[in-house]
Amino acid sequence: MEEKQFAGILNGAVPGEPVKKDENSRRGNWGNQIEFVLTSVGYAVGLGNVWRFPYLCYRNGGGAFMLPYFIMLVFCGIPLFFLELSFGQFASQGCLGVWKISPMFKGVGYGMMVVSTYIGIYYNVVICIAFYYFFTSMTNLLPWTYCNNPWNTPACSGVVSSSGHLNGTLANATTSLVAGVSEVVNRSKRTSPSEEYWKHYVLNISDDIGNFGEVRLPILGCLAISWFVVFLCLIRGVKSSGKVVYFTATFPYLVLTILFIRGITLDGAINGIKYYLTPQWQKVLDAKVWGDAASQIFYSLGCAWGGLITMASYNKFHNNCFRDSIIISITNCATSVYAGFVIFSILGFMAHHLNVPVSEVADHGPGLAFVAYPEALTLLPISPLWSLLFFFMLILLGLGTQFCLLETLVTAIVDEIGTDWIMRNKTVVTLSVAIVGFLLGVPLTTQAGIYWLLLMDNYAASFSLVIISCIMCICVMYIYGHTNYFKDVEMMLGFPPPLFFKVCWRFISPVIISFILIFTVIQYKPITYNDYVYPGWSLAIGFAMAMSSVVCIPIYALYKISRSPGATFRERLKFACRAHPKWGPALQEHRTGRYAPAASEDTVEARPLKEKEELKEEQKEEEKEKERKDEISLTIQGSNGSTNAHNNPTPSA
């Protein structure tokens, strides 16, 4: 009872409590716990919830898909989410600093950084295209309504006649409304105005991934706007982004609700929702359905990206991250289900007007966001208003994830360098990372950009994430030791992890992760885009991107073993796996129990000779590292003038 009261008193944010100064004055903390929860919801709830989950649901048995989906949420999603949050919060470090738990596995942190870099590059390009559609929707007539534009081809067939009424003849003559349903396109040889607007005007797509063509200047301008918005929101780190998420994480739900209410009042909407939810129970016995459910949970929650560890590192030490992990995970999955109603009510309306099955207008990914749904919106009265709302929602969903991706990289860099100057000038690091991200995204704004974007989406963050997450589980549970970690969590929360989570962390979640990896390999098919088949050299680049994050793990492990003291390989390996002396709570006030500092030198002298030598080696390395950081700090300070001592309180040990 006393432990629970103690945990409650020390919890990060109690509603109505007066504003306190940061617990960790050196790194900073969230203003309150609501900011952390909203940021994590914004991070987990992204574009995939809108343009991937509804499609997976109807393709894998409708309502029957919910069963494996929620089973995977309980046994894999929530436990992994809780593991990463507790990991980052306990050490108060980003995705690199936490690996003091077992220095040999620091390559996992570098792998997370590589994955976040890839995703951050192409994710912001998707956001910038949403910006472009948002700006072009500020008109009386959406430009993809009719087929009488300079970019249209003779094959174009609209669903609305020039007089503004539904073009029933053309609508019945063609079933090729949606880009991405290649069978329909091949059969009818007709295309919709929204598809031609997307391919021939917005992208001006080239015929091959190697044919870059010219940079699409409107898209490039929107990319600059997108990166500028992200930088402004992160200009003060979590202090500024924590305020922005009050809007970016909540407003999409208002838009979803508005679109849902509008959607269910349309003719044919019920048919679309039935198609989305009608259970096909025989599919529950299909292994592919379970594989899709596990993969969607894993990728949707953002596990192994490094973002969860980073966001949790700014929590106060005794915050109840167990409660947060359950709230955020369930909110994420509920949002996916809710978005399905919004999407399929509109698609059902469009299918009703075209007299075609819902399956022929259903799509996912960019095909849904920039072709199918915009086409459906042209059938609604005041269509520009609904288009503005839809693309504004996509922008906010994307920005919520992008904030965390950028903060993950910045926090890792700042924590790794660790000098006082870099801590005070974190904004410079944020600006530098944003500029580099913008420059690396420029090739994706060329005429071949969509090919590269889909290549990165399919390979950069696919099976590599699964491998990273599996190794993280093995390291924490078996190398560091599950008993040690359970004690750490109990010291932080005031109560041990529930038995269910202990079992999941040690056995069930690693098995499910391994299943996802095997499923991904078995189900692998070379990427295509509509009728375009990617050449072999581009697939090789895709695999290289996927392996670039995984290869960090063995390379750093070998490096760490080679630099570790010891006469034999076994001794070096044992030393490299052992937790660093600095592992544990970041603040001295929280380093109690086995993390309490040694009382006297007698404790050191009483150790065996081999341990004393290892300890001396560690101390020498720490002294060298400290000298190096001091030199860097002094050099930078000398070139930058005097420092503001009054703005830099002495950090806790």
Side-chain angles (χ1 to χ4, degrees):
M1 185 69 182
E2 290 179 0
E3 286 181 351
K4 289 184 178 179
Q5 289 177 345
F6 178 73
I9 294 169
L10 291 174
N11 197 346
V14 178
E17 70 174 355
V19 178
K20 301 175 182 177
K21 70 173 187 176
D22 289 341
E23 184 179 73
N24 190 329
S25 57
R26 182 173 171 81
R27 291 181 86 249
N29 296 106
W30 296 104
N32 57 60
Q33 211 48 39
I34 296 176
E35 293 180 8
F36 166 69
V37 171
L38 289 178
T39 301
S40 299
V41 167
Y43 171 67
V45 177
L47 298 174
N49 296 71
V50 173
W51 74 19
R52 179 170 164 78
F53 174 82
Y55 178 83
L56 280 180
C57 193
Y58 100 81
R59 192 183 73 180
N60 288 311
F65 180 70
M66 301 293 182
L67 177 64
Y69 183 72
F70 283 108
I71 288 176
M72 290 299 175
L73 169 67
V74 171
F75 287 97
C76 183
I78 296 177
L80 287 177
F81 206 90
F82 180 32
L83 178 64
E84 291 201 28
L85 291 190
S86 60
F87 195 18
Q89 182 174 307
F90 183 78
S92 297
Q93 289 285 307
C95 63
L96 288 182
V98 292
W99 293 103
K100 290 184 178 70
I101 193 173
S102 185
M104 190 181 84
F105 289 89
K106 192 175 182 179
V108 176
Y110 284 110
M112 290 177 172
M113 285 187 67
V114 172
V115 168
S116 291
T117 300
Y118 286 140
I119 298 174
I121 291 169
Y122 78 78
Y123 211 81
N124 228 12
V125 175
V126 177
I127 297 172
C128 87
I129 296 174
F131 264 113
Y132 181 79
Y133 270 81
F134 177 75
F135 293 140
T136 54
S137 298
M138 295 178 180
T139 177
N140 293 328
L141 179 68
L142 294 175
W144 55 85
T145 304
Y146 302 123
C147 289
N148 57 355
N149 301 290
W151 58 82
N152 291 126
T153 66
C156 181
S157 173
V159 294
V160 179
S161 67
S162 58
S163 62
H165 301 292
L166 184 70
N167 190 341
T169 305
L170 288 175
N172 293 330
T174 180
T175 55
S176 59
L177 182 64
V178 182
V181 187
S182 57
E183 305 92 339
V184 178
V185 175
N186 290 336
R187 182 171 71 249
S188 63
K189 303 298 181 185
R190 307 290 289 179
T191 54
S192 65
S194 64
E195 181 184 352
E196 294 202 344
Y197 180 75
W198 164 247
K199 291 174 69 174
H200 303 316
Y201 186 75
V202 178
L203 302 178
N204 194 12
I205 192 169
S206 66
D207 58 354
D208 185 70
I209 189 172
N211 181 13
F212 284 91
E214 63 182 10
V215 172
R216 301 288 296 135
L217 292 179
I219 303 297
L220 182 66
C222 290
L223 182 63
I225 292 173
S226 183
W227 274 109
F228 183 67
V229 169
V230 173
F231 167 70
L232 280 184
C233 294
L234 287 173
I235 195 166
R236 292 182 58 236
V238 296
K239 292 298 184 186
S240 53
S241 66
K243 303 299 182 289
V244 174
V245 293
Y246 280 106
F247 177 72
T248 60
T250 56
F251 192 75
Y253 290 96
L254 176 61
V255 177
L256 278 174
T257 302
I258 293 172
L259 292 175
F260 172 68
I261 294 172
R262 184 67 187 98
I264 59 174
T265 59
L266 299 171
D267 294 335
I270 300 301
N271 293 333
I273 293 175
K274 282 181 180 178
Y275 195 82
Y276 167 54
L277 288 180
T278 301
Q280 301 173 40
W281 293 109
Q282 69 276 10
K283 288 198 174 186
V284 174
L285 301 176
D286 187 352
K288 187 178 184 305
V289 173
W290 289 83
D292 279 344
S295 300
Q296 176 63 15
I297 283 289
F298 185 83
Y299 295 123
S300 176
L301 289 174
C303 299
W305 292 15
L308 299 177
I309 294 174
T310 302
M311 295 302 104
S313 72
Y314 292 102
N315 279 334
K316 293 181 179 179
F317 183 73
H318 291 287
N319 169 63
N320 190 346
C321 59
F322 170 66
R323 171 202 60 201
D324 296 341
S325 62
I326 294 176
I327 292 173
I328 297 163
S329 301
I330 293 177
T331 301
N332 172 68
C333 295
T335 303
S336 296
V337 176
Y338 187 38
F341 286 95
V342 176
I343 297 299
F344 274 88
S345 61
I346 297 290
L347 294 183
F349 162 68
M350 182 164 63
H352 172 76
H353 274 287
L354 293 173
N355 290 326
V356 297
V358 179
S359 59
E360 292 189 1
V361 297
D363 200 2
H364 67 292
L368 171 68
F370 302 119
V371 178
Y373 208 81
E375 178 79 0
L377 294 177
T378 62
L379 301 172
L380 297 177
I382 328 176
S383 55
L385 171 64
W386 308 113
S387 182
L388 282 169
L389 284 173
F390 176 70
F391 288 111
F392 190 52
M393 178 188 71
L394 289 186
I395 290 168
L396 295 182
L397 288 174
L399 287 176
T401 303
Q402 190 68 17
F403 291 158
C404 296
L405 290 169
L406 184 59
E407 185 62 41
T408 297
L409 297 174
V410 172
T411 297
I413 294 170
V414 170
D415 284 349
E416 186 67 8
I417 297 175
T419 61
D420 290 339
W421 186 89
I422 207 80
M423 287 287 185
R424 289 196 305 273
N425 294 275
K426 187 178 175 182
T427 304
V428 177
V429 181
T430 306
L431 178 61
S432 303
V433 174
I435 291 173
V436 171
F438 168 74
L439 295 175
L440 292 175
V442 170
L444 302 185
T445 64
T446 62
Q447 290 175 267
I450 188 66
Y451 298 123
W452 290 99
L453 189 151
L454 293 174
L455 186 72
M456 295 180 73
D457 185 38
N458 278 269
Y459 289 94
S462 57
F463 66 87
S464 55
L465 285 176
V466 184
I467 295 173
I468 288 172
S469 185
C470 190
I471 293 177
M472 183 180 70
C473 277
I474 292 170
C475 173
V476 175
M477 291 294 110
Y478 296 100
I479 305 299
Y480 177 64
H482 62 274
T483 305
N484 289 333
Y485 194 72
F486 296 160
K487 289 178 180 177
D488 290 344
V489 173
E490 183 174 6
M491 185 176 90
M492 178 173 65
L493 299 182
F495 56 88
L499 178 62
F500 172 77
F501 285 86
K502 292 180 179 180
V503 175
C504 284
W505 285 346
R506 294 184 63 193
F507 307 111
I508 300 176
S509 295
V511 169
I512 293 177
I513 294 171
S514 302
F515 165 69
I516 296 173
L517 179 60
I518 295 169
F519 169 78
T520 304
V521 173
I522 293 174
Q523 293 290 324
Y524 170 74
K525 293 179 182 177
I527 182 178
T528 60
Y529 178 58
N530 293 342
D531 296 329
Y532 177 75
V533 179
Y534 279 68
W537 63 267
S538 64
L539 298 180
I541 293 176
F543 277 111
M545 283 192 291
M547 293 305 298
S548 62
S549 55
V550 177
V551 79
C552 295
I553 302 171
I555 288 177
Y556 189 86
L558 292 173
Y559 163 77
K560 190 65 182 176
I561 292 171
S562 67
R563 296 294 299 270
S564 299
T568 65
F569 177 80
R570 185 177 179 181
E571 289 178 359
R572 290 170 177 266
L573 179 64
K574 186 178 179 182
F575 183 85
C577 290
R578 183 183 303 161
H580 192 278
K582 288 187 177 179
W583 162 250
L587 301 182
Q588 191 66 44
E589 63 198 78
H590 298 139
R591 295 184 73 90
T592 57
R594 60 198 178 95
Y595 293 105
S600 67
E601 292 296 325
D602 296 337
T603 311
V604 177
E605 292 299 327
R607 297 184 180 185
L609 179 61
K610 188 179 290 186
E611 285 196 19
K612 286 199 293 180
E613 289 177 357
E614 292 174 354
L615 186 63
K616 287 178 182 177
E617 289 289 339
E618 290 175 1
Q619 290 173 345
K620 285 180 182 178
E621 286 185 12
E622 290 174 19
E623 288 173 4
K624 287 179 182 178
E625 183 69 16
K626 187 177 179 182
E627 288 175 6
R628 184 179 67 82
K629 289 180 178 179
D630 289 342
E631 286 174 6
I632 294 172
S633 180
L634 288 170
T635 304
I636 297 172
Q637 288 178 14
S639 62
N640 197 38
S642 59
T643 58
N644 296 326
H646 60 281
N647 288 330
N648 181 34
T650 304
S652 300

